[in-house]
Amino acid sequence: MSAITIFGQGNMGQAIGDVFKQGGNTVNYLGNGDEVTGLGDIVVLAVPYNAALDIAKKNQAALAGKVVIDITNPLNFDTWDDLVVPADSSAAAQIAALLPDSKVVKAFNTTLAATLQSRKVGDQPTTVMAASDDDAAKQQLADALTDSGVAFVDAGSLKRAREMESFGFLQMTLAAGEKIGWTGGFAVEK
């Protein structure tokens, strides 16, 4: 069992919290302006990319030693046509650079809130992919997801966050363009 702190109480924050609770973990939420104290072992940044950067900049000391999960897809919300990070980088890499004493993991960005809530994509279990340079952090996340109703896949090093963000971006643009539903998405079959 892990103690989880989630920044953000929107659809994704609530869905991720429910998944962790089903896995037997304790979950608390922090909103904009809340005092950042008593953080759990795992901290989830379930906020837009710019807000995640701001949280990382302002809370380096509080996040030191923590597993920090970046769920963002750094989409240009003005155009919905590109990502706002350099092509050879990722939001997760940008956040990791701000948090050198944290264990940054990219996860949950390739799922939609509805598929986390239902634990299904079609007839397949919702899969949480995770990328990090810290294998112990990925294992801690995998352990926290045990009995949660979702599957887990280790996607490799933090460099894979770039592809995961492109994948998440594609899924979001397909849903926004009504080519797939917000309750659908991509499934991973082992």
Side-chain angles (χ1 to χ4, degrees):
M1 184 171 101
S2 292
I4 314 291
T5 300
I6 300 176
F7 281 88
Q9 298 179 53
N11 291 341
M12 283 298 290
Q14 292 292 325
I16 291 167
D18 289 344
V19 166
F20 279 125
K21 286 177 191 174
Q22 184 174 330
N25 306 283
T26 60
V27 176
N28 73 303
Y29 294 91
L30 290 175
N32 190 18
D34 287 348
E35 186 177 355
V36 180
T37 60
L39 297 177
D41 306 318
I42 297 174
V43 177
V44 180
L45 304 178
V47 295
Y49 173 60
N50 287 334
L53 288 176
D54 191 50
I55 291 166
K57 288 175 190 173
K58 291 179 179 175
N59 299 288
Q60 290 174 327
L63 294 169
K66 305 290 184 188
V67 173
V68 177
I69 299 176
D70 165 38
I71 78 159
T72 64
N73 286 309
L75 176 64
N76 179 336
F77 285 101
D78 292 331
T79 66
W80 278 75
D81 199 34
D82 58 358
L83 298 174
V84 297
V85 295
D88 63 346
S89 187
S90 66
Q94 302 295 311
I95 291 168
L98 294 171
L99 299 173
D101 297 323
S102 301
K103 303 164 196 166
V104 175
V105 177
K106 183 67 169 195
F108 295 104
N109 74 301
T110 59
T111 62
L112 297 172
T115 64
L116 285 170
Q117 290 168 340
S118 69
R119 313 295 195 270
K120 295 275 186 197
V121 176
D123 61 354
Q124 298 294 318
T126 298
T127 301
V128 175
M129 291 189 278
S132 179
D133 292 335
D134 190 304
D135 289 337
K138 287 187 283 189
Q139 187 59 55
Q140 190 172 351
L141 173 59
D143 292 344
L145 292 174
T146 301
D147 298 326
S148 67
V150 300
F152 177 85
V153 171
D154 182 336
S157 73
L158 197 61
K159 286 184 176 183
R160 297 296 67 82
R162 178 177 49 200
E163 289 82 17
M164 289 172 62
E165 290 171 9
S166 293
F167 188 75
F169 167 54
L170 175 62
Q171 183 172 246
M172 289 174 68
T173 57
L174 289 173
E178 299 181 353
K179 298 192 185 336
I180 65 170
W182 288 99
T183 59
F186 301 107
V188 177
E189 187 171 346
K190 291 186 183 184

